[in-house]
Amino acid sequence: MAKRSKKKIGEILIEQGAVGQAQLVSAINEAKSSGKRVGEVLIEQGTCNEKQIAKALAEQFGVEFIDLEKPEALTKIDRGLLKEDLQRKYSVLPLRKERGTLLLCVHDPLEIEAFDLIGMVAGGRADVGAISTRSQITGFISGDQSGPDLSRSRLVTASMDSTVDKSMDRSQDRSQDRSMDRSLDSDANESGIVRLVERMIVEAVTGRASDIHIEPRKDNVLLRYRIDGVCIERDLIPKSMQNQLLARVKLMAGVNISERRVPQDGRIKQTIDGKVVDFRVSSCPAVHGESIVLRILRPDSARIGLAGLGFEQDNLDNFNKIIRRPNGIFLVTGPTGSGKTTTLYSALNDLNAPDRKIITAEDPVEYAFKGINQVQVRDHIGLTFSTILKSMLRQAPNIILVGEIRDREVADIAIQAALTGHMVFSTLHTNDAPSAITRLIDMGVKPFLVASSIQAVMGQRLVRILCEKCKAPEDNPDRKVLRLIGMTEEEVARGGMMKAVGCQACGGTGYRGRRAIFELMKMNPEIRDLAFNRSSVGKLRAAAVRGGMRSLVEDGKIKILRGMTTPVEIANFAQIEGFSPEEIHAT
């Protein structure tokens, strides 16, 4: 919200000579008894005109006053930034966008609820950028003002597509919504919730979000989007809307809306901009109400191709050779949200051919692929990973994907499958590639089976990529951060390092999109001997480096020197021994 000065509007009007002290006192008394604002009363009494009140409000809120009767006002308005029906409904005019915020020319800077709704539709926030009179704004919208550019402005506005109404395919959701105006009928509140959820979903998808977080708090409901791996606060929804909002999302997800004591999982399918988008919905009881997360599943993300994941050419060549081996286990490791599933799906998409039979066991099945037999784990009916794996082996597959190796039973079956002529892909939650060996042995798998069945282990993380439109050369990098990732002065002197700046294209963050950094450990005789002898992670890592493995940090350095990302990103997401990400921000 525009910063409001400490002066009251009456004081400003007296300073401007627009009103006398006695007239102001009379207006204040009338405003108290009638419930109107002082400015409204002064206009009704004929003491001030609309323009004088608007100028005083502009000074009070520290924004520009725009006289829409003057021709130069046309150069400040961009009608194409907001639908005309919203301009008419709220008597506002769009000016420009700054750092994701739509600045408006308004007559009443205190219409905060209207700004929130406009911001939701516009795909960001809305705030006061200038003030004019109500009659001038409504006249401008109606086309009463003359000027050489007005007809063009109206044409652009008329040709704009509705962000929500035309993006959302309502065939996926039969709910009817007539208006956000609560005064229209008894169903207005429900209609408002339907519209709010639709706008929230469209905004998150078009804004490249991966998750929508709805988090009830004591006094309100926090709405956040996760974009490029970072949670961004979007809005604070009134507490009075909490129950209807949560019920609407749960209804769309197909879960029990009356059950609030236990976690529930569901799915939503919507068509947005002509593409079907799946949402995986998870609700979890919390102190102030159910916390709901909608995970946005984009089918295209699994089909970007191996080259688009972030591989350096040498790692890509090795990766392509490994996944085409006839048998063995290939593991991808990393924490939740590090892109493991996307990497494996990209590999399967590359391998998918009529002469190969591919079966997957997943919990849940995130993306559907033609030509691949995908099985959903259902623990409640006994359809577990181990049950599916045993059945898979009777289906004579060439390639098997196991969503995650969680326990010894699944690990043993996966290893037996690898030893009997199948290529097995799976994931494991470990900090780095060498740790996968010790993790399997700790599960109870015999060391000689681990040593003989695994072909390679790949660790990965996702780091944000600098925005191409605003990144700039980094002339003075933080030396402490450079030390944390082991960058030498010689490496820095090579040049090519860039820094985040921030622009409208990236929402002011300086980053747009993510790529993976990898460490690919290929098994060789030395590593197999160490695994057989239950050697420590340190010894396994040393042997892997001698065998040609480039660590996560070293892979990140290549991307830093290419100007793709920053040292801070690598330090935050790559695991460095003895390093905590908080150290960066402590200085």
Side-chain angles (χ1 to χ4, degrees), residues 168-185:
M168 181 75 74
D169 183 349
R170 293 180 182 275
S171 66
Q172 302 292 333
D173 184 356
R174 300 297 181 184
S175 300
Q176 297 298 313
D177 175 24
R178 290 183 292 277
S179 174
M180 285 295 286
D181 190 343
R182 299 176 185 175
S183 64
L184 287 182
D185 53 43

Side-chain angles (χ1 to χ4, degrees), residues 185-197:
D185 53 43
S186 59
D187 294 331
N189 284 338
E190 182 180 351
S191 257
I193 292 296
V194 171
R195 175 71 73 178
L196 173 63
V197 174

Side-chain angles (χ1 to χ4, degrees), residues 384-387 389 402-416 426 443 445:
T384 61
F385 272 121
S386 58
T387 304
L389 273 172
V402 183
E404 182 185 348
I405 295 180
R406 298 177 177 176
D407 52 42
R408 179 180 175 179
E409 184 179 10
V410 175
D412 282 338
I413 299 172
I415 287 172
Q416 290 302 320
S426 191
M443 280 184 182
V445 180

Side-chain angles (χ1 to χ4, degrees), residues 61-195:
F61 282 84
V63 295
E64 177 186 9
F65 168 76
I66 295 180
D67 189 344
L68 294 173
E69 294 175 351
K70 295 182 178 181
E72 57 264 28
L74 295 171
T75 63
K76 300 177 181 181
I77 308 297
D78 186 353
R79 301 284 302 280
L81 293 174
L82 187 65
K83 291 194 304 178
E84 187 169 356
D85 60 340
L86 288 175
Q87 295 177 40
R88 291 180 182 277
K89 181 174 182 177
Y90 297 110
S91 297
V92 298
L93 288 168
L95 300 172
R96 61 191 178 277
K97 273 195 171 185
E98 288 184 0
R99 295 181 175 272
T101 298
L102 177 63
L103 296 180
L104 304 169
C105 178
V106 305
H107 66 89
D108 184 355
L110 296 176
E111 289 285 351
I112 298 173
E113 184 176 352
F115 303 154
D116 287 342
L117 294 173
I118 291 170
M120 184 71 77
V121 174
R125 294 183 181 275
D127 203 351
V128 180
I131 292 176
S132 188
T133 68
R134 184 185 184 95
S135 59
Q136 283 191 2
I137 292 174
T138 55
F140 193 98
I141 294 171
S142 300
D144 292 345
Q145 272 71 21
S146 60
D149 295 330
L150 181 58
S151 59
R152 178 180 179 275
S153 175
R154 296 183 67 191
L155 178 64
V156 170
T157 304
S159 66
M160 287 292 290
D161 289 336
S162 165
T163 303
V164 172
D165 295 340
K166 294 191 178 182
S167 292
M168 181 75 74
D169 183 349
R170 293 180 182 275
S171 66
Q172 302 292 333
D173 184 356
R174 300 297 181 184
S175 300
Q176 297 298 313
D177 175 24
R178 290 183 292 277
S179 174
M180 285 295 286
D181 190 343
R182 299 176 185 175
S183 64
L184 287 182
D185 53 43
S186 59
D187 294 331
N189 284 338
E190 182 180 351
S191 257
I193 292 296
V194 171
R195 175 71 73 178

